[in-house]
Amino acid sequence: MKKEKAIALENEEKEIIGVIEKADISGCEKGHVFSFTNTNGLTVRMGIKKRGIRNFLFATYVIKTEKETYLFKDKPGNSLLYFCVKGDINGQDIQIEENWSKEIEVKLDKIHIATLKTSDLTFRTTILFKDNILESTIHFAVTVLMYFMYKIYKNESEFIESILFD
């Protein structure tokens, strides 16, 4: 995705509910920051904090709203085998992890709130939310943006696999 481009996010009625764009956050890796702006004007940015040699295998994700900053982290142990990120938003635990079907499940206080389903054939992603998760919430925005963090994780893990096993 180029910096000047945007991806429109549509609901099941094909109405645009927000826009995803490349963004910047100070202290985050260039090219690994995205923003989601919904039709109400809420903007949430998410990026991967710059990594060094000591934390190369485990990412820290920075989530910024107009007023707050949150940090999510790869879950040690799990993230070496599959995508698994944990964090806290306003006292609620959130966990985003890959399941055996290569879907991404999002759990809020251990309650399943969303599933991201990707298709390599159509290059489309479907996000299925529970009815109580509104498009105007940070949980919605974090779920949408976490897809891009997952894609970065997959690219990096495939690269590391190719070095180790080829």
Side-chain angles (χ1 to χ4, degrees):
M1 185 172 162
K2 299 208 187 298
K3 187 134 180 152
E4 306 81 38
K5 300 280 183 180
I7 298 172
L9 185 67
E10 298 176 342
N11 63 15
E12 59 274 1
E13 285 89 32
K14 303 287 186 208
E15 300 165 332
I16 293 177
I17 57 172
V19 176
I20 302 160
E21 300 173 286
K22 284 262 194 173
D24 292 310
I25 297 175
S26 177
C28 286
E29 296 177 358
K30 294 274 186 224
H32 291 170
V33 179
F34 297 87
S35 72
F36 172 73
T37 303
N38 70 18
T39 53
N40 296 332
L42 170 72
T43 297
V44 176
R45 293 179 294 154
M46 179 185 291
I48 298 174
K49 191 173 179 183
K50 287 182 181 174
R51 295 174 274 188
I53 293 173
R54 293 178 65 203
N55 61 352
F56 177 73
L57 293 176
F58 302 106
T60 298
Y61 304 89
V62 178
I63 298 145
K64 289 184 116 1
T65 66
E66 190 176 298
K67 299 176 183 174
E68 300 286 334
T69 300
Y70 306 95
L71 296 178
F72 285 21
K73 293 183 181 242
D74 282 342
K75 188 173 177 187
N78 297 50
S79 65
L80 291 176
L81 304 171
Y82 61 95
F83 186 74
C84 187
V85 176
K86 292 189 80 163
D88 179 282
I89 296 176
N90 301 326
Q92 293 181 298
D93 290 326
I94 188 165
Q95 183 164 315
I96 301 103
E97 66 181 324
E98 186 177 11
N99 65 22
W100 290 106
S101 301
K102 303 253 185 251
E103 299 169 337
I104 304 300
E105 295 181 353
V106 181
K107 294 177 183 167
L108 187 62
D109 287 334
K110 298 185 180 177
I111 297 169
H112 184 260
I113 63 163
T115 302
L116 288 86
K117 297 181 176 196
T118 61
S119 170
D120 292 335
L121 300 175
T122 63
F123 299 105
R124 294 183 68 90
T125 298
T126 302
I127 306 174
L128 305 169
F129 283 94
K130 298 294 180 190
D131 290 338
N132 60 339
I133 303 301
L134 303 175
E135 298 160 359
S136 59
T137 64
I138 189 169
H139 302 97
F140 185 92
V142 165
T143 300
V144 168
L145 293 172
M146 196 55 76
Y147 166 76
F148 295 92
M149 303 302 113
Y150 171 70
K151 294 302 275 183
I152 293 167
Y153 166 85
K154 289 304 272 185
N155 288 340
E156 290 176 353
S157 62
E158 287 172 7
F159 176 74
I160 291 170
E161 270 183 38
S162 72
I163 291 172
L164 294 175
F165 299 112
D166 284 346

